Amino acid sequence: MIEKLVRGDRSRWRIRSAVALVVALLFVSIGTGLLAKSLPKIKENVCLISYGWSRSEKLKSPGGVFFYARKGEIYVADTGNHQILIFNEAGTPIVRIRHSVDGKEPGTSRQGEPKQVAVNSRGDIYVVDSLARYLDVLDYRGRSIERIYPGDLLDMQRDDVRCAAVTVDSADNVYIGVSGEQSAVLVLDRKHSLIRRIGEKGDGDGKFKAITGIWIDGAGKIYVSDARNEPAVQVFSPEGKLLVKFGVHETGPHNFSLPSGVVTDEFGNIYVTDSLRHWIGAFTSEGKFIIRLAGGFGTRPGDLSFPTGIASDGKRTIYTVEKAGARLQGFKLEITQLEKD
Amino acid sequence: MNKLLLVIGILALVVFTAGASLAGDYHSGEFLICSDCHTMHYSRSHDMSGATGTEFTELGTGGPFHYLLKADPNDLCLMCHDGGTDEPDVLGAHANGYDRSAGALNEVGGVDTYQDWMGHTLGSTATAPGGTFANVDGLNCLNCHHQHGYAGSGTTDMAGNPVTSLYRNLKYYNDGTGNKGISYTIDVNDTPADLTKDVRERYGPGSTLSDHYSQDNIDLLEPAPTKSGIAGWCKNCHTSFHGATGGAEVGGTGSPPEEWLRHPQAEANIGALGGGHSNKGSRGLGGKLYRVRFMSPTGVWGTQGTAWGDTGAPADLTPTCLSCHKGHGNGRAFGLICATGTAPIGEDGDTDQAKPLCKQCHTQG
């Protein structure tokens, strides 16, 4: 009798447990489904590959890329060849601008190593050169018309800081990422007067250690990638308030080894190149990992070999340049977004 | 209780040993993680948590590479060490403001004005001059450096002192008498040098790259008066360019030894030998305002910009390989530091002529 009762209890317990398990699984699957649905689906298709100016003059260790929306042109900092290359949207090179910097002796010049480039609505070209302490401003013909020293803007010695990254927004405000004894994002108006400084050198939220890329979206939000700081990617309001942060230097697809640039698409999804992982990571506007786009070390279309820069048309096309791969690649994005931000 | 103490003791030993194995100032947990450079199977199908979102079953068509590396070692190193402003920039032109102690590497075919006859050439399969070393896959950074850092345990310098940390983590070598390495000391704010080391690094406040890598902050010491750790290390590849005085490689026979077959790099102090040898007086080294680096047993080799004049240079200064050559190379043939002695010495010296370099010490010609 007692044994029967016990068996009966066990049986009921098993049934209850099974029901509870089914209900729990149901909730989990619904939850997971909702979660999955909340993430956009993104797929990339290679739409452009260019190897440089000509067969005999290929890209050499390119460091940066910028999409000039007004003309639909792609500007590449062809670092190893000391020049800026301009491609049309089909990937055909149309202009090259040699870049030189001051030589060691006064009054002399030497070949530069341009590593980032940006263009304003007038066609003025902003060049960050590894061998210069200033941001070089060129006219559309490539003639240097102004030099902006971040040391002057920060009231520091010119040799103590240098430009690490640059971009321009739709109002022609200029954003300079500064590295060296101090680190910050400097916001300049179209006449190059300092209007805002964001962050300082250091570890953690709102600080920077080695800025590698800056991007401004349509709403004026400021995206900054940093090779050494954690968080690796930070998003600020136009006024400089930290809004979103993500990524540390660790394993896992949502983390980074050497983030080298950041852009967004028309939905606000964020794309970050990682030089040492050879891929582009896609994240939601809140910094939640979506998927790895492109990449895998190699030379096939879609492979990446040390991507050092990323650009976007702000809609559904992104571009990247590869330092060792020595290529410019463009990717059309297929985006299934449930709701537009 | 005794067992507990024994366990604690063993654990402490393990912890301390592990700590020692991480000595060195390269990539030793400072910033990089293993998977930045390595991949176990040249594949990546998911991350450590098994999370989805990765689409790759292989890393790419370029590999796999030796030592489980993700890519060619030179490409991996140069991703940060070429054109970067937050790490030492070692290839071609310099992105930072100071004059690099080691100078500039070049690549096969040259890097702009840094041609492949101006120093060490990444990717070169050539045999090292004076020796037999060659890398059939091309010279790479790892041929010379312990990229992970190395404690140097069991290694001694040329003076026979134990090496606890290798200068620039240059690889140790075996010269037939045991593992040898170049030792170094860091003097914070010019505190007294540890003269038992081969190299002194002057480490200023703020820990800038310049503090560690500027030629102005690196001194060559001489813990053993007749030996050179630097030259011993270079001999590892450039075998017959170095040897003891009177030896088959460099000669220097006679009394005083004058009949050199190759330039001495360890034993001959400047101005110590007669017969038209080097001159430490005002006509020679003593009269130079700016000097290339020499080994000094006291760590004192003058102040750049000030000549010794009639008193002459100290009698204990000894030339070695890095007196005349940049370790990596520079913009001159053979990485020579072409210095006239009349102007501050940059990475290349201050002239494109080699003769003034000889005349730092010699008065002939």
Side-chain angles (χ1 to χ4, degrees):
Chain A
M1 180 65 177
I2 292 171
E3 190 178 332
K4 278 185 179 176
L5 279 174
V6 171
R7 278 182 183 169
D9 283 350
R10 278 183 182 166
S11 176
R12 278 194 293 275
W13 182 83
R14 281 175 182 162
I15 290 168
R16 283 175 185 165
S17 298
V19 170
L21 186 63
V22 168
V23 170
L25 285 172
L26 197 60
F27 273 108
V28 168
S29 64
I30 290 170
T32 308
L34 286 174
L35 197 63
K37 281 181 181 176
S38 69
L39 288 176
K41 287 182 167 45
I42 305 176
K43 186 184 173 191
E44 88 285 7
N45 297 297
V46 178
C47 65
L48 178 157
I49 295 181
S50 181
Y51 294 90
W53 180 251
S54 67
R55 286 186 176 217
S56 61
E57 189 183 304
K58 296 180 177 177
L59 289 169
K60 189 174 180 185
S61 303
V65 59
F66 183 85
F67 182 79
Y68 184 34
R70 184 165 166 260
K71 288 192 172 182
E73 293 170 343
I74 306 150
Y75 283 62
V76 171
D78 187 6
T79 310
N81 288 320
H82 323 287
Q83 62 188 4
I84 304 297
L85 284 184
I86 305 175
F87 298 84
N88 64 21
E89 264 183 302
T92 304
I94 49 177
V95 175
R96 63 175 170 180
I97 299 168
R98 302 286 191 189
H99 193 247
S100 59
V101 298
D102 287 344
K104 289 186 177 177
E105 302 301 323
T108 63
S109 64
R110 57 178 168 155
Q111 295 175 318
E113 290 187 355
K115 70 172 186 178
Q116 290 220 5
V117 61
V119 188
N120 69 13
S121 64
R122 294 191 301 272
D124 296 336
I125 306 163
Y126 297 87
V127 180
V128 172
D129 194 303
S130 296
L131 304 184
R133 288 290 179 272
Y134 51 84
L135 180 69
D136 206 359
V137 188
L138 315 178
D139 67 13
Y140 71 99
R141 289 180 174 176
R143 293 175 299 200
S144 181
I145 53 175
E146 188 179 349
R147 291 176 172 184
I148 302 170
Y149 287 87
D152 293 353
L153 298 170
L154 290 168
D155 200 20
M156 296 176 67
Q157 294 291 322
R158 285 183 171 179
D159 280 346
D160 287 347
V161 287
R162 53 194 166 263
C163 302
V166 66
T167 197
V168 177
D169 68 14
S170 56
D172 282 349
N173 295 315
V174 183
Y175 299 74
I176 306 172
V178 177
S179 238
E181 299 295 304
Q182 187 51 269
S183 194
V185 173
L186 304 181
V187 187
L188 281 58
D189 65 17
R190 60 167 55 212
K191 293 182 178 176
H192 304 156
S193 297
L194 182 66
I195 54 177
R196 188 168 297 111
R197 169 187 168 164
I198 300 172
E200 61 181 328
K201 187 167 185 170
D203 281 308
D205 296 355
K207 297 185 177 178
F208 308 108
K209 290 182 86 173
I211 294 171
T212 54
I214 307 176
W215 168 257
I216 314 300
D217 70 10
K221 286 192 287 189
I222 302 158
Y223 300 71
V224 184
S225 59
D226 192 304
R228 286 175 172 266
N229 188 37
E230 295 179 348
V233 179
Q234 298 183 85
V235 184
F236 299 88
S237 71
E239 294 74 33
K241 182 185 175 189
L242 181 62
L243 303 172
V244 174
K245 56 177 183 173
F246 59 93
V248 295
H249 197 100
E250 241 318 332
T251 55
H254 51 293
N255 290 320
F256 302 98
S257 288
L258 205 169
S260 54
V262 57
V263 294
T264 59
D265 63 24
E266 63 182 310
F267 300 104
N269 300 311
I270 303 168
Y271 303 88
V272 185
T273 42
D274 193 313
S275 293
L276 288 179
R277 299 190 184 188
H278 313 290
W279 68 52
I280 300 168
F283 300 81
T284 67
S285 55
E286 290 79 35
K288 185 172 180 56
F289 176 74
I290 304 170
I291 196 171
R292 289 172 184 154
L293 292 178
F297 182 76
T299 56
R300 297 173 304 190
D303 287 347
L304 294 173
S305 176
F306 297 93
T308 43
I310 187 168
S312 168
D313 66 353
K315 298 174 183 171
R316 300 189 182 209
T317 307
I318 57 176
Y319 303 91
T320 186
V321 288
E322 304 155 69
K323 182 172 182 178
R327 289 188 298 186
L328 162 68
Q329 291 196 76
F331 302 97
K332 288 282 184 196
L333 303 175
E334 292 177 20
I335 305 171
T336 306
Q337 192 92 5
L338 287 181
E339 52 188 65
K340 195 167 179 176
D341 287 344
Chain B
M1 186 63 180
N2 286 340
K3 283 182 180 175
L4 182 62
L5 286 173
L6 181 65
V7 169
I8 290 172
I10 291 172
L11 282 174
L13 186 64
V14 168
V15 167
F16 283 118
T17 307
S21 72
L22 291 174
D25 56 3
Y26 278 29
H27 312 149
S28 53
E30 280 283 313
F31 176 65
L32 292 172
I33 56 176
C34 310
S35 61
D36 287 344
C37 297
H38 295 282
T39 172
M40 296 308 103
H41 307 289
Y42 204 66
S43 66
R44 183 175 285 115
S45 55
H46 59 77
D47 79 327
M48 297 294 282
S49 68
T52 56
T54 55
E55 302 209 326
F56 310 125
T57 54
E58 60 175 350
L59 198 53
T61 54
F65 295 88
H66 294 299
Y67 306 111
L68 314 181
L69 287 171
K70 278 181 178 175
D72 173 82
N74 286 340
D75 285 338
L76 276 170
C77 299
L78 294 175
M79 185 61 236
C80 295
H81 291 287
D82 174 29
T85 49
D86 295 296
E87 298 83 17
D89 176 13
V90 300
L91 182 70
H94 194 200
N96 292 294
Y98 57 91
D99 290 317
R100 292 166 288 191
S101 179
L105 293 164
N106 58 65
E107 291 180 316
V108 174
V111 183
D112 309 324
T113 57
Y114 297 86
Q115 298 299 306
D116 53 12
W117 39 273
M118 295 178 169
H120 285 112
T121 303
L122 295 178
S124 172
T125 56
T127 301
T132 57
F133 171 82
N135 186 340
V136 294
D137 295 323
L139 184 71
N140 67 57
C141 312
L142 314 187
N143 288 134
C144 296
H145 295 279
H146 287 289
Q147 69 283 3
H148 290 147
Y150 182 72
S153 58
T155 305
T156 61
D157 60 21
M158 294 299 278
N161 302 314
V163 175
T164 53
S165 197
L166 294 164
Y167 178 59
R168 301 288 191 251
N169 282 302
L170 290 168
K171 284 194 163 180
Y172 68 88
Y173 62 97
N174 193 307
D175 67 350
T177 64
N179 288 339
K180 298 289 186 188
I182 301 175
S183 59
Y184 75 108
T185 178
I186 297 177
D187 289 355
V188 180
N189 296 328
D190 282 342
T191 51
D194 179 353
L195 300 175
T196 66
K197 307 297 184 187
D198 290 315
V199 179
R200 172 170 71 172
E201 188 176 307
R202 279 183 257 160
Y203 182 99
S207 183
T208 64
L209 286 179
S210 173
D211 288 326
H212 293 283
Y213 300 101
S214 168
Q215 63 184 21
D216 293 336
N217 293 333
I218 306 297
D219 297 335
L220 305 180
L221 304 176
E222 191 180 13
T226 59
K227 294 178 180 176
S228 164
I230 298 288
W233 191 86
C234 298
K235 179 185 173 71
N236 207 28
C237 294
H238 302 288
T239 314
S240 58
F241 286 4
H242 172 72
T245 299
E249 298 98 337
V250 299
T253 58
S255 180
E258 294 172 356
E259 298 167 5
W260 301 102
L261 300 171
R262 293 183 172 92
H263 198 286
Q265 327 79 10
E267 296 166 287
N269 288 350
I270 297 162
L273 305 175
H277 192 264
S278 54
N279 187 326
K280 72 181 185 67
S282 58
R283 289 179 57 237
L285 183 63
K288 300 295 182 293
L289 284 168
Y290 298 92
R291 298 167 286 278
V292 294
R293 283 181 299 201
F294 299 102
M295 290 193 296
S296 167
T298 63
V300 177
W301 57 290
T303 302
Q304 297 286 38
T306 304
W308 282 289
D310 293 338
T311 59
D316 56 5
L317 300 183
T318 311
T320 190
C321 309
L322 297 186
S323 298
C324 300
H325 299 272
K326 284 290 187 182
H328 283 164
N330 61 12
R332 300 281 179 256
F334 316 114
L336 286 171
I337 305 160
C338 299
T340 62
T342 59
I345 297 171
E347 283 184 13
D348 301 342
D350 62 296
T351 176
D352 57 0
Q353 301 295 311
K355 181 180 171 182
L357 173 59
C358 303
K359 299 200 75 168
Q360 283 262 321
C361 303
H362 300 280
T363 55
Q364 298 94 329

